[in-house]
Amino acid sequence: QITFGSIFLGNVPVNEEVHQCAGQIHGYKGCIRDFQVNHKELFIIDEALGGRNVENCNVPICDYHPCYNGGTCTSDAENWYCECPKLYTGKLCQFATCDENPCGNGATCFPKSSRDAVCLCPYGRSGILCSEAINITQPSFSGTDIFGYTSFLAYSTIPNIIFYYEFRLKFQLANHHSALQDNLIFFTGQKGQGLNGDDFLELGLRNGRVVYSYNLGSGTATIISKALDLTLHIHVIHLGRNLQKGWLKVDDQKNKTVTSPGKLVGLNVFSQFYLGGYREYTPELLPKGPRFKNGFQGCIFDVQVRTSINQGFKSPGTPEGHPNSGRNVGQCKDSPCSLIKCRNGGKCIESGSTVYCDCLTGWKGAFCTETVSVCEPEHDPPHLCRQGGTCVPLPNGYTCHCPLGTTGTYCEQG
């Protein structure tokens, strides 16, 4: 049995007695932890009577591979950090971001969650990153998606529409339920103010009926069709206006007419011609009275217009049939989900041309092929590191890297 007067860790105070007994002594360089005497742990810092040149041990955090989502861990003598790939940010690359947009071809990047993003594809593009070109002859619209964006096409302003116009188009509903909603089919308006008295022209669905409205500046004229025959696969609309008098014919229903109030006879509109929906989440361009709340759900095709009874019908756009812009518009009857396969129970979600995988709990990534780390905020249950402690995943579970001044398994002790 040995009895100690004092225990020295690392080195001893320099004095003549030590030199005579031990000769040249070199101090220990490194880290000491979990120090025990007779199976009793000594708290190295808290129970020390004195010391010199002692620092907090630099734990090689990068050895634990703390970075998520493909991030690269870099450390030096004092600090460590994760260098994140595109789409991710945060100390551990645990947050998805659209600051560095991974979406291609002018797509709209939207953070689906803190770890994943969705690319809302522009007209003519499809796929996870909107990298695939698609040919659209019969546009398919998906209404308003879960992110608050509507699918739409925007064409150049229709010229010479002031005194006379005729429109012909066909549409196919995505399902019967979509006929019962407030769905916009097309719209064009003056200056984009949407105030009472502004000139506008719009067509939509409400409660299973086609609603056609226009305002020449002195009041709104509206025609509402009979309820649609939902056994029909394709619906046909023919509408027009000559000065104040407008008319609407839907499928085999009888032609309906209306005369706008007031004395004004000209329709002055300067906005683009919007088909299927609108660019903004809240369509402020739409008139406040008959405003439609949602974008169209289904296919709209064979849209043609003429502005003189002596002209032939043409497709909108400059050049003819070509929109200026669009978003989340696919080809009718084509499913972008046929091009991708979600893994590990993930469900493919399509919104027009936009497509993404909705992953089950515990999975992430574009195709649900990556596991959610125990340290990520989305993990259930969440990690227990406290007081600014950094959760570091281990092969079995995790550990908490505590900041200076805290200790304990979860950094819960000061």
Side-chain angles (χ1 to χ4, degrees), residues 81-95:
Y81 65 93
C82 292
E83 184 177 351
C84 303
K86 286 186 176 181
L87 181 64
Y88 295 99
T89 187
K91 182 175 178 61
L92 303 177
C93 307
Q94 73 271 39
F95 299 114

Side-chain angles (χ1 to χ4, degrees), residues 51-66:
R52 184 175 61 211
N53 296 336
V54 178
E55 298 177 348
N56 198 42
C57 185
N58 291 315
V59 179
I61 289 296
C62 287
D63 291 349
Y64 294 112
H65 307 290

Side-chain angles (χ1 to χ4, degrees), residues 195-239:
L195 304 176
N196 290 331
D198 278 355
D199 292 21
F200 67 84
L201 162 65
E202 67 177 351
L203 181 70
L205 286 177
R206 182 176 288 122
N207 299 324
R209 301 170 186 268
V210 176
V211 180
Y212 162 42
S213 297
Y214 60 91
N215 190 330
L216 308 180
S218 54
T220 300
T222 300
I223 303 177
I224 302 176
S225 76
K226 293 182 179 180
L228 292 172
D229 181 0
L230 298 181
T231 64
L232 295 177
H233 184 61
I234 295 177
H235 300 276
V236 180
I237 295 180
H238 192 181
L239 63 87

